[in-house]
Amino acid sequence: LEQAGVVTWFDAPAVDLVQDNGSVRGIVVEKEGKRQTLRSAAVILAAGGYEASAQKREEYLGKGWSEARACLFHDVLDTIAQ
């Protein structure tokens, strides 16, 4: 991601969406105790969850789901970059 010029922030939860005429045009995040508005042509909402955990997939989705391959956001970016 760094090679592509993408800046990654951790511990910066989204607290609101910026909307314009019904379209999402950015997000408001809280970083280091301050709210910052980030505008963009596209917004991808992603959250960590049980889909990345084989144990949680088996627990919540049932037998056999622990064998499923989870497509994580960085996998998608890697595919796009190729």
Side-chain angles (χ1 to χ4, degrees):
L1 292 174
E2 288 178 14
Q3 291 176 352
V6 175
V7 176
T8 304
W9 286 357
F10 296 95
D11 299 318
V15 295
D16 203 358
L17 296 175
V18 176
Q19 297 184 49
D20 182 24
N21 293 324
S23 296
V24 175
R25 300 292 183 200
I27 61 171
V28 178
V29 300
E30 193 165 294
K31 184 174 187 248
E32 299 173 354
K34 297 179 183 175
R35 289 190 176 202
Q36 297 185 37
T37 300
L38 306 173
R39 295 191 167 269
S40 178
V43 174
I44 299 172
L45 299 177
Y50 66 85
E51 61 276 350
S53 166
Q55 179 183 354
K56 293 293 184 186
R57 286 195 309 272
E58 185 89 16
E59 181 180 343
Y60 291 105
L61 299 174
K63 187 173 176 72
W65 277 99
S66 62
E67 301 302 318
R69 184 182 187 294
C71 178
L72 301 176
F73 184 64
H74 61 79
D75 293 338
V76 173
L77 289 178
D78 288 345
T79 301
I80 291 170
Q82 296 174 7

